[in-house]
């Protein structure tokens, strides 16, 4: 059994330096945080620790700077947003395990917090060499001094065998953060003991990204609704032509197999009835609504590019969602960044919010950003995951290194 944050605080943290792996991997535009959902989600654990008198050191990643210092991936904007939201003192180091981080960590007083630079600025964080990762983990642990502890509260990173997620747990007494604990509890119940009907909505560009998830959910979910770019590979598997739509021909046979298996195992696999096609991948394209079985039969012909689910499909999806008691959604069902092709994703969000009898889980990443961009609040859904990739791998049934390291 993993030790929890509650166990750590019960044992006393006043005066101790506690290293917390948080998830501050937020989207930025012009150096500003555009979606602070992950920053807000990290606050409760940090507040509990500072209120208990801990001297907190936060480490987190942002983007993929490829193991070297790259100013565009500085953690500073996310750390500044954390400082704005926090009701405790927040300092920001200009390096990771260098002189500034060491000096500021040493200077921390009880109830204060320090954010060190992007953990991926050091190539050892993501190294495949275990000795290199162990060396870096030891340097991170050294920031906590002689009586340190480690808390993993970054669910979005637990599927990575990285130094600040996996190897650090071998160096310091380690504990499960509340955010990670809640994510595991919610996903475990969803996967193994959902209230039925259990409806899954799967979207996103590539079917290959979601194959293992669909595979594991066939026979567990009552209905799986397929939208987004991945839907066109299913359409080809059903014998249809899809114009210039995104397509993975090497996955067509797999999709055929899933359609057959779903029928055998009692899972309804629901695909699009109609689609919004455009002649260009833009908000200003010429659009046409076409039935899925005749996408190329309109004015756009073979140039038809599927960009969103059509109105009949929206109605069908909404009907399935309305009858659900448990809902899991991962991936937009259209090109949600364009207003003219966000109608399908908006219809899904509206249907989920309207169903007051269901417990809904938004599977992080693009789905979470989409519902927030559409004006919905986190409170309108049962649970918004902070880890898109991690939640998908958990639902695939994979062992996640960060959880394994904590005994969770």
């Amino acid at each position: 059994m993993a030790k929890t944050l509650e166990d750590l605080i019960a044992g006393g943290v006043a005066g101790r330096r506690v290293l917390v792996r948080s998830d501050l991997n937020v989207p930025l535009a012009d150096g500003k945080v555009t979606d602070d959902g992950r920053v807000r989600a990290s606050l409760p654990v940090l507040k509990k620790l500072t209120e208990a008198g801990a001297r907190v050191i936060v480490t987190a990643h942002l983007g993929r700077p490829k193991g070297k210092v790259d100013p565009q991936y500085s953690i500073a904007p996310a750390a500044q947003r954390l400082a704005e939201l926090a009701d405790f003192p927040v300092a920001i180091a200009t390096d990771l395990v260098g002189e500034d981080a060491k000096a500021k960590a040493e200077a921390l007083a009880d109830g204060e917090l320090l954010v060190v630079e992007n953990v991926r600025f050091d190539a050892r964080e993501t190294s495949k060499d275990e000795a290199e990762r162990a060396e870096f983990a030891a340097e991170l642990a050294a920031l906590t001094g002689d009586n340190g502890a480690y808390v993993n509260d970054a669910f979005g990173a637990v599927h990575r065998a990285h130094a600040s997620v996996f190897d650090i747990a071998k160096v310091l007494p380690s504990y499960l953060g509340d955010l990670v604990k809640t994510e595991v509890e919610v996903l475990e119940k969803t996967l193994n003991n959902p209230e039925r009907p259990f409806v899954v909505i799967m979207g996103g560009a590539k079917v290959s990204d979601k194959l293992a998830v669909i595979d594991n959910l066939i026979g567990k979910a009552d209905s799986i609704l397929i939208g987004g770019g991945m839907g066109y590979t299913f359409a080809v598997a059903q014998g249809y032509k899809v114009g210039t739509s995104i397509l993975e021909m090497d996955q067509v046979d797999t999709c055929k197999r899933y359609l057959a298996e779903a029928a055998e195992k009692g899972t309804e696999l629901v695909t699009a009835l109609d689609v919004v096609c455009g002649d260009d991948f833009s908000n200003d394209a010429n659009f046409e609504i076409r039935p899925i079985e005749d996408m190329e039969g309109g004015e756009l012909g073979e140039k038809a590019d599927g960009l969103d689910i059509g109105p009949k499909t929206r109605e069908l999806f909404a009907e399935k969602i309305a009858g659900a008691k448990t809902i899991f959604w991962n991936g937009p069902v259209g090109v949600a960044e364009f207003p003219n092709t966000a109608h399908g994703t908006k219809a899904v969000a509206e249907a989920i919010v309207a169903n007051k009898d269901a417990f809904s889980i938004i599977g992080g990443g693009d789905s979470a950003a989409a519902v927030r961009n559409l004006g919905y609040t986190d409170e309108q859904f049962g649970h918004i995951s902070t880890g898109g990739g991690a939640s998908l791998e958990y639902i695939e049934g994979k062992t996640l290194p960060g959880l394994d390291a904590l005994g969770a």
Side-chain angles (χ1 to χ4, degrees), residues 60-125:
H61 78 276
L62 195 150
R64 296 182 178 179
K66 300 181 179 177
K68 56 188 177 184
V69 176
D70 185 338
Q72 70 174 316
Y73 293 112
S74 174
I75 207 77
Q80 286 160 2
R81 184 61 184 143
L82 177 65
E84 290 166 5
L85 294 169
D87 57 2
F88 45 79
V90 175
I92 304 169
T94 58
D95 55 23
L96 180 51
V97 288
E99 293 309 312
D100 192 55
K102 289 175 183 175
K104 286 177 178 170
E106 188 72 37
L108 282 172
D110 293 4
E112 293 183 347
L113 182 144
L114 169 68
V115 182
V116 297
E117 251 302 355
N118 190 338
V119 75
R120 290 187 181 171
F121 278 1
D122 194 307
R124 295 172 296 173
E125 162 71 358

Side-chain angles (χ1 to χ4, degrees), residues 197-228:
F198 174 26
V199 174
V200 174
I201 307 106
M202 299 298 295
K206 292 184 177 181
V207 70
S208 55
D209 292 341
K210 310 288 171 73
L211 286 176
V213 179
I214 296 169
D215 193 27
N216 202 32
L217 288 171
I218 289 174
K220 292 181 179 177
D222 295 290
S223 300
I224 302 175
L225 318 183
I226 303 290

Side-chain angles (χ1 to χ4, degrees), residues 223-384:
S223 300
I224 302 175
L225 318 183
I226 303 290
M230 62 188 289
Y232 303 106
T233 303
F234 274 93
V236 171
Q238 291 168 304
Y240 305 135
K241 293 182 178 179
V242 296
T244 60
S245 306
I246 187 169
L247 174 64
E248 292 179 276
M249 279 302 297
D250 60 334
Q251 303 299 344
V252 169
D253 286 344
T254 303
C255 290
K256 287 180 180 178
R257 178 165 59 83
Y258 286 166
L259 288 161
E261 282 182 9
E264 289 171 11
K265 294 182 178 179
T267 293
E268 181 186 31
L269 217 160
V270 183
T271 54
L273 301 176
D274 58 349
V275 293
V276 177
C277 301
D279 61 357
D280 184 38
F281 189 79
S282 75
N283 190 55
D284 301 319
N286 294 306
F287 296 108
E288 187 176 6
I289 296 167
R290 296 297 306 164
I292 192 70
E293 66 271 16
D294 192 24
M295 271 186 68
E296 297 183 2
E299 292 183 10
L300 300 180
E302 293 181 0
K303 294 182 179 179
D305 185 1
L307 301 175
D308 197 7
I309 57 172
K312 290 182 180 178
T313 308
R314 290 173 220 156
E315 286 181 21
L316 176 62
F317 280 18
E319 180 185 318
K320 299 295 180 185
I321 291 165
K325 284 290 173 46
T326 303
I327 302 164
F328 178 81
W329 179 22
N330 183 275
V333 296
V335 185
E337 57 266 39
F338 300 148
N340 286 331
T341 54
H343 299 296
T345 300
K346 186 176 182 181
V348 168
E350 284 176 348
I352 293 172
V353 170
N355 185 345
K356 305 300 183 186
D357 295 327
F359 182 76
S360 57
I361 303 100
I362 310 301
D366 292 340
S367 315
V371 296
R372 289 178 184 132
N373 288 340
L374 288 168
Y376 294 99
T377 65
D378 291 13
E379 291 71 30
Q380 289 177 279
F381 303 91
H383 177 75
I384 293 190

